[in-house]
Amino acid sequence: MLELYLLLIFMIVGAIVAVELKDLLSSVIAVGAVGLGLSITFIVLKAPDVAITQLVVEILCLIILIRSTLKRDLPFSTSGRWFLNTMIALSFIGIFLFVAYKAIGDLPPFGYPIMKVASTYLKQGLAQTGATNIVASVILDYRAYDTLGEATILFTAVIGVLALVRRIGRKKSVEQEGSDE
Amino acid sequence: MSKEHDRGMSVIVKTVTRLTVGLILLYGIYILSHGHVSPGGGFAGGVIIALSFIHLMLAYGKEAALKRIPSQALSFFEGFGAIMFLAIALLGFTGGYFFLNFLPKGEPFKLFSAGIIPLCNIAISLKVGAGLFAIFIALVLLKFEGENK
């Protein structure tokens, strides 16, 4: 639990930093740090698929946010410090390669059945849920949270489409344009 | 779309639609109610049910379809499906935790088995069917208005 609390404190500090910083780009990067902390938190809580989703969405959001803020202000300069920057980059590449080597060494060999959760679903699915369609037992019993999330997404999408194309607001805007002209 | 299109398509299309639309609706209900026994489920069944109404709307025009299921009913079913799904999930707290399968499991391969899974399928199909048909209606009405200008 200690690492969970450390991650939570890290995320709270990152969020406060993101709110308090005056510089937009640094603020965006602090938000990204919060998102990566959340992704690691999901791994600690044994939810790797949510962690992967969080990581990918976080990176995409970060790229979009950086792209949109980069034109606004570019306060830092990289000239004159090339030696330090190169050294920092090289050391980070070294650390990354070392960690990746360690992590790949821990992976099970190719073809080894690591899907322990899935094999439990397949073996116990009928006895635990009573559904003979194993897909239904997974999406509506074991992973019903995911289905709830997807149903919420669909609900929001329908509301969004209906709000965009509804007649009331558009007529008003047409009338306003007409009156302006 | 012209006024001719509002009244629907040709006699051939209308006749075929009259004969098949009930079967399509029935097939959707079958798919969703047997979702826990055979392939299918709430999402596919809901889409097929929505397609049966879309079929009706394409052949007979929007008034015929909206007379059978008005848009207020669509909003109701959309919200009702979402709330029903959430209520089933919350009722799991009667036995312990969120999304607990609290109903009796029943006998495998029977229609009334698998606890809450058929109820979840019904809730999802209501939501998906009503939502997709509502989107279709909204886009069709948008097109009508855009061409009237």
Side-chain angles (χ1 to χ4, degrees):
Chain A
M1 289 307 276
L2 178 65
E3 65 267 25
L4 192 61
Y5 287 123
L6 284 178
L7 282 167
L8 284 177
I9 292 168
F10 171 74
M11 282 158 60
I12 292 170
V13 169
I16 293 171
V17 166
V19 171
E20 290 298 323
L21 274 180
K22 298 291 177 233
D23 176 17
L24 258 182
L25 188 65
S26 313
S27 172
V28 165
I29 287 170
V31 170
V34 175
L36 291 180
L38 185 62
S39 163
I40 298 170
T41 312
F42 282 136
I43 291 180
V44 171
L45 292 173
K46 304 276 194 299
D49 37 6
V50 189
I52 291 169
T53 314
Q54 166 66 27
L55 186 66
V56 174
V57 172
E58 184 60 44
I59 288 171
L60 186 67
C61 290
L62 206 58
I63 289 171
I64 294 171
L65 283 175
I66 287 178
R67 186 67 190 82
S68 61
T69 53
L70 209 55
K71 276 191 171 177
R72 297 268 167 78
D73 54 351
L74 197 61
F76 62 93
S77 95
T78 52
S79 60
R81 293 191 298 175
W82 64 270
F83 181 75
L84 185 66
N85 290 348
T86 314
M87 280 302 117
I88 290 173
L90 281 179
S91 62
F92 268 106
I93 288 173
I95 291 170
F96 177 76
L97 283 179
F98 178 71
V99 173
Y101 176 74
K102 283 286 190 185
I104 289 171
D106 274 352
L107 282 180
F110 184 73
Y112 181 79
I114 53 166
M115 302 304 242
K116 297 215 171 68
V117 180
S119 70
T120 308
Y121 290 170
L122 288 175
K123 283 172 190 155
Q124 309 276 323
L126 181 57
Q128 283 183 348
T129 66
T132 47
N133 184 3
I134 201 75
V135 176
S137 77
V138 171
I139 66 167
L140 290 176
D141 196 296
Y142 293 117
R143 293 298 175 97
Y145 272 117
D146 290 355
T147 311
L148 183 65
E150 281 156 17
T152 316
I153 288 170
L154 187 70
F155 188 70
T156 319
V158 169
I159 290 177
V161 168
L162 292 182
L164 278 177
V165 304
R166 74 190 191 282
R167 272 186 286 181
I168 307 161
R170 200 167 64 246
K171 270 187 179 168
K172 270 183 191 166
S173 70
V174 168
E175 282 168 10
Q176 279 172 358
E177 281 174 14
S179 63
D180 285 346
E181 282 167 9
Chain B
M1 296 286 163
S2 60
K3 279 182 182 175
E4 194 181 327
H5 200 84
D6 269 0
R7 291 202 299 274
M9 295 188 181
S10 68
V11 182
I12 302 170
V13 178
K14 282 186 176 176
T15 312
V16 172
T17 303
R18 201 167 58 233
L19 292 176
T20 55
V21 74
L23 293 176
I24 295 172
L25 184 62
L26 205 61
Y27 185 63
I29 293 171
Y30 160 75
I31 286 279
L32 85 91
S33 59
H34 287 70
H36 56 296
V37 183
S38 59
F43 200 95
V47 173
I48 294 171
I49 290 174
L51 282 177
S52 75
F53 283 104
I54 290 173
H55 189 181
L56 201 67
M57 189 159 168
L58 288 177
Y60 282 92
K62 64 174 190 284
E63 283 83 11
L66 285 178
K67 203 170 63 189
R68 281 168 178 76
I69 179 158
S71 47
Q72 288 85 2
L74 284 177
S75 333
F76 170 75
F77 281 134
E78 169 81 9
F80 179 74
I83 288 176
M84 182 177 165
F85 194 40
L86 204 57
I88 290 167
L90 286 176
L91 279 176
F93 277 120
T94 55
Y97 53 91
F98 205 57
F99 271 119
L100 173 70
N101 202 338
F102 58 92
L103 290 174
K105 304 292 183 293
E107 209 177 323
F109 295 105
K110 289 283 162 57
L111 183 57
F112 293 101
S113 65
I116 60 167
I117 291 179
L119 292 175
C120 288
N121 269 332
I122 291 171
I124 291 175
S125 70
L126 278 178
K127 229 184 69 54
V128 170
L132 288 182
F133 191 49
I135 288 180
F136 180 78
I137 286 178
L139 293 178
V140 165
L141 292 182
L142 178 76
K143 195 171 184 188
F144 285 162
E145 285 215 343
E147 293 191 359
N148 280 343
K149 272 188 215 171

